Structure formats: C-alpha cells, structure tokens
Amino acid sequence: MTKSYKSAQYESLIKQARAVMEGEPDELANQANIVALLHRTFEFWWTGFYRVVGDELVLGPFQGPVACTRIGHGKGVCGSAWKRKETIVVPNVHQFEGHIACSAESCSEIVVPVIKNGEVTHVLDIDSSTYNTFDHEDKTYLEELVNLI
Ligand code: SME
C-alpha cells in the first residue's frame, strides 16, 4: 500500500522529535518542541499540552491563540480524554456535547492523553480550523509521538 503524504509527514516529524529530545530529560522543554514541530508542519489552528494538576488540567506549552487556562476532569474534549484515558477524535466540535470553545475558529479537534504508570499526566490537544481534519492515522502517530516524551 502506498503511504499517504500525511503519514510521510508524521514519520519525518517523529524522526525530528527523537533527534531534538535525545539526551534531554526536561519534559517541559520536550513538550514545547513537540508543539512547535506539529504546529509548523501541519499549520494547525491551535496545538498544545495541558497538564494534570490535582483535579484540573492546567494550560502548558502551546502555539496559537490564547486558550482557556483550566479544564475540569471530564469537562470538554480534553477533560473527557483524561477521564476516559483514551484519544478522542472530534470531526465537528459543534456536535461534541460539552465542547469548550476557546476559539470560534476551531472546527475539529483531537486530544491524546499522555499516560505514565496507568495515570494521565498530560493531554495533547490539537484544534483545526477545518472540519474532519483528524482520523485514525493522526491518532496512531500522535500516540507514538507523545510516548517519546
Ligand atoms: N476545546 C477544548 C478546550 C481547549 S482549547 O481547544 C485549546 C475542549 O473542549 O476540551
């Protein structure tokens, strides 16, 4: 089967991420670079991490417009991915019950939890300004990417 252009982009990005994180133990620095790589490669609307602090998600490194700072457990797409401990792909954010609209431009979204020792420590949230941006391919590569941190 011929590889899609998107999968070639992800494979190249994962190579760059490995190189940039090699020998670097600082999680925050690594997250910041991953965000930059993703945001620049795919020109997403918003790309960033939220980290689990107590019973909330708190905004971490991101690129894109100003975003909400805190999200409760089970709230919005981010809080739901945290609660379910699984990636959520949202083709149309207007059809996701409880979606938190940080920006009116956001049309579709993917949230990938970072799981360490069975617990969610962060979520990677990506918003697109077009509908149906994310699919199983994004899910697979993004899960691989966050596991490198
Ligand atoms: N839309 C997210 C909130 C975070 S912003 O998109 C950056 C949600 O529903 O959890």
Side-chain angles (χ1 to χ4, degrees), residues 46 50 67-68 71 76-78 99-100 102 109 125 127:
W46 193 94
Y50 281 89
C68 48
I71 298 173
V77 188
C78 291
H99 167 255
I100 300 165
C102 289
E109 181 164 358
D125 178 18
D127 288 26

Side-chain angles (χ1 to χ4, degrees), residues 67-131:
C68 48
T69 313
R70 289 172 187 269
I71 298 173
H73 188 243
K75 304 289 180 197
V77 188
C78 291
S80 301
W82 174 19
K83 189 174 175 183
R84 294 186 207 169
K85 295 188 179 175
E86 60 185 33
T87 298
I88 301 181
V89 175
V90 183
N92 178 349
V93 295
H94 304 111
Q95 289 172 359
F96 188 94
E97 177 94 32
H99 167 255
I100 300 165
C102 289
S103 160
E105 299 293 320
S106 177
C107 291
S108 59
E109 181 164 358
I110 185 168
V111 179
V112 182
V114 182
I115 301 173
K116 300 249 164 82
N117 302 318
E119 292 303 321
V120 176
T121 59
H122 298 81
V123 301
L124 170 65
D125 178 18
I126 307 178
D127 288 26
S128 164
S129 57
T130 56
Y131 293 102

Side-chain angles (χ1 to χ4, degrees), residues 15-26:
K15 254 188 218 153
Q16 291 177 69
R18 279 185 194 280
V20 98
M21 293 194 292
E22 201 184 332
E24 178 49 71
D26 192 281

